[in-house]
């Protein structure tokens, strides 16, 4: 253990503050970029209430725009993660944000459905490069506190998503689509921070990371491969159902509030902000709680805690609806970082692949959900869509089949001899 800590602190590049082997300066840096990346990405659904009228778009077209954003990341992220596991590319980190910057410019200048679609694809490419490589940086900087580290990393993204409704209320309603141009500043800041992070990552790779990956990769043997594959499949299904639900809420809940309670667009967006801000809080606390009480226990809490409020949400009055939204957001996202850490511990030699797969699936599931629910809203009603969304978290009950934390530790202990032989 002492050798690992010394290798971390001796790595070339910027010197982050370390405590118990955890590099907090690097974790804060990647969390900040996650916030900036997801804030820019959140511009897309945030401008839906604006561009629906200004560009004469249908709910189906809005769903397809969200689908294009999420599909781009869904397809590319696992491929980038697999490639980076074999050949890490630290300086892809700032280059990916360049694609995001071009996408933001396109969004501000788009004149119709197709130009919006192309701009969104550029934003998706930038996001697909960002997540797998930056998740590996967070893993390397975590030390022994992986739940906390993943929470710090992911809470930045959740906070960025939560800012979307505020941006609609304070920026896009008064300034319209042209207000997107201000987000080029965020992209430039992200490029600067990612350059700093890439320097540390590059130095870390030159020291102990390559050897550590090869030792960990030996841990998944043929005897456990089937069990690991089953557990990963369950985690994928859990994440898919969760992200489809979140896509329905973030894309269409504001329309539901406007339609049922006659709220203005700014007021409806503040309600969505409450949902997303509670989700960010749940993400932040979920990781440390999982470090203390167990990964699977927090996954269970996120499912069981959210279900009753999700089912009751369409049938309550406005004040109770907002309270329920806050409770749903906190509980359902409390396992947001835990799912990733759990999967990384199942496949410790494939951090980029796992991160790319899970973040990519999150985007893909969200995009498919938005597209399907948008088409359904055109043929039925927004109220019907919100009612249907309540059934999606039920898939999370498959968590009963996940291996316990004790079983994960047992597998890790069984892998020790093969690790030492390496």
């Amino acid at each position: 253990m002492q050798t690992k800590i010394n290798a971390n602190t001796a790595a070339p590049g910027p010197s982050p503050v370390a405590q118990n082997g955890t590099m907090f300066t690097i974790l804060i840096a990647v969390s900040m970029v996650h916030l900036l990346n997801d804030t820019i990405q959140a511009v897309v659904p945030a401008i839906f209430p604006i561009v629906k009228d200004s560009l004469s778009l249908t709910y189906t077209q809005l769903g397809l725009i969200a689908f294009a954003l999420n599909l781009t990341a869904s397809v590319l992220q696992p491929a980038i993660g697999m490639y980076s596991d074999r050949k890490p590319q630290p300086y892809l980190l700032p280059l990916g944000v360049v694609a995001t910057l071009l996408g933001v410019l396109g969004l501000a200048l788009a004149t119709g459905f197709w130009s919006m679609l192309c701009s969104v694809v550029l934003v998706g490419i930038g996001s697909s490069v960002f997540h797998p490589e930056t998740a590996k940086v967070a893993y390397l900087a975590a030390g022994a506190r992986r739940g906390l580290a993943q929470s710090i990393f992911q809470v930045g993204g959740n906070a960025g998503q939560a800012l979307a409704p505020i941006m609609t209320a304070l920026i896009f309603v008064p300034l319209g689509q042209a207000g997107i141009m201000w987000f080029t500043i965020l992209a430039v800041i992200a490029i600067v921070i990612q350059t700093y992070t890439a320097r540390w990552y590059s130095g870390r790779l030159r020291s102990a990371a390559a050897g550590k990956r090869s030792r960990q990769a030996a841990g998944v043997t043929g005897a456990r491969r089937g069990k690991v594959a089953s557990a990963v499949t369950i985690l994928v299904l859990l994440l898919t159902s969760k992200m489809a639900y979140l896509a329905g809420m973030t894309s269409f809940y504001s329309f539901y509030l406007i339609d049922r309670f006659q709220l203005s667009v700014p007021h409806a967006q503040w309600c969505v902000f409450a949902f997303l801000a509670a989700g960010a809080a749940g993400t932040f606390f979920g990781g440390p709680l999982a470090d203390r009480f167990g990964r699977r226990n927090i996954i269970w809490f996120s499912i069981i805690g959210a279900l009753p409020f999700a089912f009751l949400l369409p049938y309550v009055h406005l004040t109770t609806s907002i309270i329920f939204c806050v409770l749903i957001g906190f509980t359902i996202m409390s396992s947001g970082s835990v799912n990733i850490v759990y999967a990384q511990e199942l496949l410790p030699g494939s951090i980029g692949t796992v991160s790319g797969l899970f973040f990519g699936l999150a985007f893909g599931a969200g995009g498919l959900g938005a597209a399907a629910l948008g088409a359904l809203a055109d043929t039925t009603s927004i109220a019907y869509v919100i009612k249907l969304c309540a059934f999606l978290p039920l898939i999370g009950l498959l968590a009963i089949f996940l291996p316990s934390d004790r079983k994960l530790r047992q597998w890790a202990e069984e892998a020790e001899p093969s690790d030492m032989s390496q």
Side-chain angles (χ1 to χ4, degrees):
M1 176 63 71
Q2 186 63 41
T3 301
K4 293 180 181 179
I5 294 175
N6 289 341
N8 285 351
T9 56
S15 299
V17 176
Q19 179 179 337
N20 298 325
T22 304
M23 307 291 195
F24 287 103
T25 300
I26 294 299
L27 290 173
I28 292 170
V30 296
S31 182
M32 282 295 299
V33 180
H34 205 177
L35 185 149
L36 297 173
N37 178 85
D38 283 29
T39 297
I40 293 170
Q41 186 174 294
V43 165
V44 178
I47 61 174
F48 280 179
I50 306 301
V51 298
K52 185 179 187 298
D53 294 328
S54 64
L55 300 182
S56 301
L57 302 179
T58 65
Y59 284 123
T60 300
Q61 287 176 319
L62 293 178
L64 288 173
I65 290 171
F67 174 67
L69 173 67
N70 294 291
L71 179 64
T72 304
S74 178
V75 171
L76 290 180
Q77 280 198 53
I80 291 173
M82 291 177 67
Y83 176 73
S84 68
D85 279 336
R86 294 178 175 87
K87 189 175 181 181
Q89 301 292 330
Y91 287 95
L92 273 179
L93 295 175
L95 289 176
V97 188
V98 173
T100 301
L101 175 60
L102 295 175
V104 171
L105 289 171
L107 288 172
L109 303 174
T111 57
F113 171 69
W114 290 108
S115 53
M116 283 283 295
L117 204 63
C118 292
S119 301
V120 157
V121 167
L122 284 172
V123 174
I125 290 172
S127 184
S128 69
V129 173
F130 166 80
H131 283 96
E133 281 291 86
T134 311
K136 288 172 67 178
V137 172
Y139 184 88
L140 290 174
R145 305 171 73 175
R146 292 176 184 169
L148 173 64
Q150 191 67 28
S151 286
I152 292 173
F153 171 56
Q154 284 192 225
V155 77
N158 292 131
Q161 294 167 12
L163 290 174
I166 296 179
M167 292 186 297
T168 300
L170 301 182
I171 298 176
F172 301 133
V173 169
L175 299 181
Q177 183 182 343
I180 300 172
M181 192 66 70
W182 288 99
F183 291 87
T184 58
I185 299 173
L186 300 186
V188 172
I189 294 172
I191 291 171
V192 173
I193 298 176
Q194 284 295 71
T195 302
Y196 166 86
T197 304
R199 285 182 57 222
W200 179 85
Y201 184 20
S202 180
R204 183 70 177 83
L205 289 171
R206 287 195 297 268
S207 56
K212 184 177 180 181
R213 278 198 312 275
S214 65
R215 288 194 300 273
Q216 288 177 325
V220 180
T221 60
R224 294 202 314 272
R225 193 164 289 121
K227 296 177 181 177
V228 169
S230 297
V232 170
T233 300
I234 292 171
L235 288 172
V236 165
L237 291 173
L238 264 61
L239 184 64
T240 299
S241 64
K242 177 187 299 183
M243 296 311 298
Y245 179 82
L246 292 175
M249 293 294 290
T250 56
S251 296
F252 302 112
Y253 186 61
S254 61
F255 292 110
Y256 169 77
L257 294 173
I258 293 168
D259 180 66
R260 181 174 178 187
F261 300 111
Q262 289 75 52
L263 294 188
S264 65
V265 170
H267 287 155
Q269 292 298 322
W270 278 105
C271 294
V272 177
F273 166 74
F275 170 74
L276 294 172
T283 297
F284 179 77
F285 287 107
L289 288 173
D291 284 338
R292 181 170 182 178
F293 297 109
R295 316 276 190 239
R296 195 173 71 165
N297 289 337
I298 298 302
I299 292 173
W300 264 115
F301 168 75
S302 72
I303 298 161
I304 302 299
L307 276 174
F309 300 110
F311 275 111
L312 292 172
L313 183 67
Y315 305 102
V316 296
H317 57 73
L318 178 60
T319 302
T320 306
S321 178
I322 296 171
I323 294 172
F324 280 9
C325 265
V326 170
L327 293 172
I328 293 168
F330 183 90
T331 53
I332 203 168
M333 289 306 297
S334 62
S335 66
S337 61
V338 181
N339 286 332
I340 304 295
V341 173
Y342 192 103
Q344 289 173 344
E345 292 180 350
L346 284 168
L347 297 168
S350 305
I351 303 304
T353 302
V354 168
S355 301
L357 175 65
F358 276 75
F359 282 117
L361 279 171
F363 283 111
L368 283 171
L373 293 171
L376 188 63
D378 279 331
T379 57
T380 58
S381 68
I382 288 292
Y384 181 81
V385 166
I386 298 300
K387 292 176 182 178
L388 182 65
C389 283
F391 290 90
L392 294 173
L394 282 173
I395 298 174
L397 296 177
L398 289 171
I400 194 173
F401 298 109
L402 286 175
S404 65
D405 288 68
R406 186 178 67 177
K407 178 63 70 175
L408 284 181
R409 287 192 295 270
Q410 179 183 331
W411 288 352
E413 290 169 1
E414 291 172 356
E416 284 297 327
S418 63
D419 289 348
M420 295 297 293
S421 68
Q422 297 297 316

